[in-house]
Amino acid sequence: MALSQLAPGPLAAQLAIYLGWARFGVLGATLVAFAFILPSLIMVLGLALFFRRTATGRALRAVADDHQAAQSIGIPLNRIWVIVWSVAGFVALVAGMVWGSKLGVQFSLSQVALKALPVVILGGLTSVPGAILGGLIIGVGEKMAEIFLSPVLAAVFGMGGGGIEDWFAYVLALLFLLVRPEGLFGERHIDRV
């Protein structure tokens, strides 16, 4: 493990280049980059099927919607909480393995985890498709802001430029909270007095 830190990039990418998987296809991306998409797609599709097609998944959605109503129809909350934390832990495990193998395991990996908050705010707290769309908006928005907005900020405010990727997602999430607090696919709650 210590020797892999001496390599100029993550060990998986170095191994891929040594095996001759160099560059191909869309925008010069490597085959290894596309290999990271596969576990993500499997996870999203598996969770979608789990929440939509199984009795446990429906029970989880019922508890998320209304604890008291779910408990009144006989759904055991303690068992549901164990399942929720187990599924969350498994998803975190797979995400950590994918991102850790791509970026290397180091302290800066926490910045990737902190990007999940703006993604979920944009997509809506209760929507998996919203989280996917929120992730795409944040990812594309960060790169576009780095290309187009960074030079403008550098010219107007005399800043050195760069680093906009670190704060852009949070500013976008703040703007979303001001305009549409439930997110893109979140449910709008109307409270009547």
Side-chain angles (χ1 to χ4, degrees), residues 11-29:
L11 189 58
Q14 294 299 317
L15 181 61
I17 290 171
Y18 294 142
L19 291 176
W21 291 347
R23 302 229 176 246
F24 82 100
V26 183
L27 300 175

Side-chain angles (χ1 to χ4, degrees), residues 56-129:
T56 304
R58 286 190 294 271
L60 288 169
R61 289 177 31 217
V63 169
D65 194 36
D66 189 353
H67 293 86
Q68 291 178 343
Q71 194 171 18
S72 70
I73 61 169
I75 296 174
L77 292 183
N78 289 336
R79 183 175 152 254
I80 292 300
W81 293 129
V82 168
I83 294 170
V84 164
W85 283 103
S86 299
V87 168
F90 181 73
V91 169
L93 171 79
V94 171
M97 287 172 37
V98 168
W99 277 105
S101 65
K102 183 175 193 279
L103 298 176
V105 179
Q106 51 199 347
F107 287 114
S108 65
L109 191 61
S110 63
Q111 285 185 340
V112 174
L114 291 176
K115 295 281 173 107
L117 179 64
V119 165
V120 171
I121 288 173
L122 252 65
L125 293 173
T126 59
S127 173
V128 173

